[in-house]
Amino acid sequence: MALRNILTEGNSTLNKVCRPVTAFDERLATLIDDMKDTVVHANGVGLAAPQVGVLRRVVVVDLGEEIIELINPRILEQEGEQDGLEGCLSVPERYGLVKRPRKVRVEAQDRHGDWYEYEGEDLIARCFCHELEHLDGHLYTEKAYRMLTEEEYEELMNQNAEDGE
Ligand code: NI
């Protein structure tokens, strides 16, 4: 397992549509394991393969108790609405306000090709939507109805630092 370099906004790989995974092989397993290491190391909630330069439909999401792998994921159902702050490892030091469904049901394969369903609410639902959009070449900044100003960002960081004490 190893850390992968995270691409940032402006790199054209982030704007490309990813291809489905067809080979459930050792190479895929290594990619997934590296992505899990990378998202934990970067303190992220989720990470999509194009963010590490691989144009395949692979996402990892940290649910807290475990990090799940979503291969060829798609949203089956969504309901409700939530409005809140969103960030992205590929858009460092910025946050924006984005409206998302409150609850999302996703279907995806694991590294062996077996299909599973996952249900996410609140932050996880937001994360599912955000990460799946990466696979189609979209960043949340396109969806944000407002990005935080530099002052608001500083304030948020100070708040988080205090909360962490
Ligand atoms: Ni992101």
Side-chain angles (χ1 to χ4, degrees), residues 70-83:
L70 306 165
I71 318 301
N72 300 326
R74 59 171 198 229
I75 291 177
L76 296 175
E77 259 186 279
Q78 55 184 62
E79 67 179 66
E81 191 183 71
Q82 59 172 317
D83 188 355

Side-chain angles (χ1 to χ4, degrees), residues 96-109:
L97 289 160
V98 191
K99 288 192 167 80
R100 297 286 190 188
R102 200 191 66 77
K103 198 170 163 184
V104 168
R105 199 154 62 85
V106 172
E107 173 183 68
Q109 285 166 289

